[in-house]
Amino acid sequence: MRISVNFILLVLLCLSPVFFNAQSPIIPEPTKAIAGKGQFLLDKNTSIASSDIRLQGVASFLKAQILTQTRIPLHTGDFHSKSRKQITLELVADESTGTEGYHLTISPREIKITGTTVSGVFYGAVSLVQLAVENTPKNGEVPINAWEIQDQPFYEWRGIMLDVSRYFIGKEKIKSILDWMAFYKLNTLHWHLTDATGWRMEILKYPKLALVGGVGDHFDPNLPAQYYTQSEIQEIVNYAAKLQIKVIPEIDMPGHATAANMAYPQFSGGGSEKYPEFTFDPGKESTYGYLTDILREVNALFPSGLLHLGGDEVSFGNQKWNLNKGISELKKKEKLNGLKDVEHYFMERMADSVFSMNAKVLAWDELAEIDLPKDKTIIYWWRHDKPEQFQKALEKGFSTVVCPRIPYYLDFVQDVNHRSGRKWDGAFSPIEAVYGFDVNHIVDGEKYGNQILGVQGNLWTETINSEARIDYMLFPRIAALAESAWTKTRNDYEEFESRLESHLELYDKQNIYCYNPIKPNLVPEPVHLLTE
Ligand code: TNX
């Protein structure tokens, strides 16, 4: 009896034209994917038609991606003709997919992508590109398996931070990283543009910031100035926007300011032996005007309306504040007790400058201590050894980005045998840890639901001295990061790894110098000689 029921079910399944549940190869894993029957054969006669002029950018993106990845040139079609072998893009009112969600239907006859927003349709197109690169083109045709996919992200904030101060990352490499971010549906680039080592953005009112502050990097203090001109900044911001990625600039203050202080020493608050000229001077009124003018230019070039002010590790180099006459007077006038109060006073004033530009303030978790307006401030929890800072930020009502060093600092090694890159008391960040990270192990995720905006991987560059090392630290953890941001439940690393295999081949094809967690000795670690 049992055998015959199973047998009948099997026969029905084989004959059935309907879809059945299966694992799609897409990373990050979609919310729901049902495999269909047959294949859509993509070839040069396939056209892309969109319902709306706002989708033209997505259509161009899709055409360019299909051409570069499969060498098949598509053309634009007529949305209303409903011709065979057409890919249609459509904006629809569909509450089930949320603002960034989409529906993707692939049948042998047609491919259809719908979403309520341009970014939703864009992510549908990205899924299609991933499915198209799975199969090898043959005789000018790429077979794409039939699927019915309904998908939307768990987190609205899916980010990567790049530190271009310690190691300058040229604009072509930034664009390539943006391309990969889009491939994984990451939507936020946090650009750490200034730090002790180098100031990397042209400021018109204070040209020496880039010309003097841009000299050298963590490995070579004598390198000629490296920085982005304002037109390059705009070029990258626009490039990112086409990929549905917003860019957030960080101008770190009042610490990590050595490079700026090399250019304009009159605003330096001094430093320590290990961190010379590390701070801006909070005891000098003109410092506030100087930094506000800088932020005005920054804000004018970044349409996100989000300015990251850093605010981290001030105690590394604020000892000279104790000897500073201006600060003593400030303390008296404002009734400030210790250096922490002075630091908070400084950050509050700079936050006010940002608010006056109608922008929001973003800052590291040190700022969870301050009472800034909840609706205009975003806190980044980074100190994995201080989970209480995360809890505090949430309890105070701040929106929070989750990027604890372990596992989200991408300058931490991913293999116990790696020699360059960081460890924390022997702990590091293997790809499994990035994939499996769950905020619920730290706080009650349900309780703080909307306040937890999402997650971000931070690539600090004190241990990066080549593009090969950027790749090696970023890939393939970027794929796991993306899945940890997009997909709510992740409990099968092995299954993720099986999807990762074809992505590893893709990295190889595109000359990405990638660590391979499946065959850890396949690609040697690009080591450098300096330790931190
Ligand atoms: C901490 S995260 C820093 C950076 C370093 C990084 C190295 C943060 C706010 N500050 O300045 O580059 O550790 O992992």
Side-chain angles (χ1 to χ4, degrees), residues 194-196 250-261 267-271 275-283 287-288 291 309-318 321 327 339-348 350 363-364 366-367 370:
T194 73
D195 210 299
E250 179 182 352
I251 305 294
D252 207 344
M253 60 183 76
H256 291 272
T258 312
N261 290 336
F267 302 110
S268 173
Y275 300 95
E277 305 302 330
F278 189 69
T279 61
F280 291 116
D281 183 354
T287 305
Y288 299 95
L291 292 173
L309 298 185
D312 57 312
E313 301 174 328
V314 182
S315 61
F316 281 11
N318 63 354
W321 288 8
I327 294 181
L339 292 191
K340 267 265 165 281
D341 278 5
V342 175
E343 182 183 324
H344 292 171
Y345 170 87
F346 171 91
M347 288 312 286
E348 278 168 21
M350 292 316 303
W364 300 110
E366 283 86 340
L367 274 261
I370 315 187

Side-chain angles (χ1 to χ4, degrees), residues 398-413:
F398 291 121
S399 295
T400 309
V401 174
V402 178
C403 52
R405 285 187 198 96
I406 293 189
Y408 284 125
Y409 272 23
L410 302 172
D411 56 330
F412 276 66
V413 298

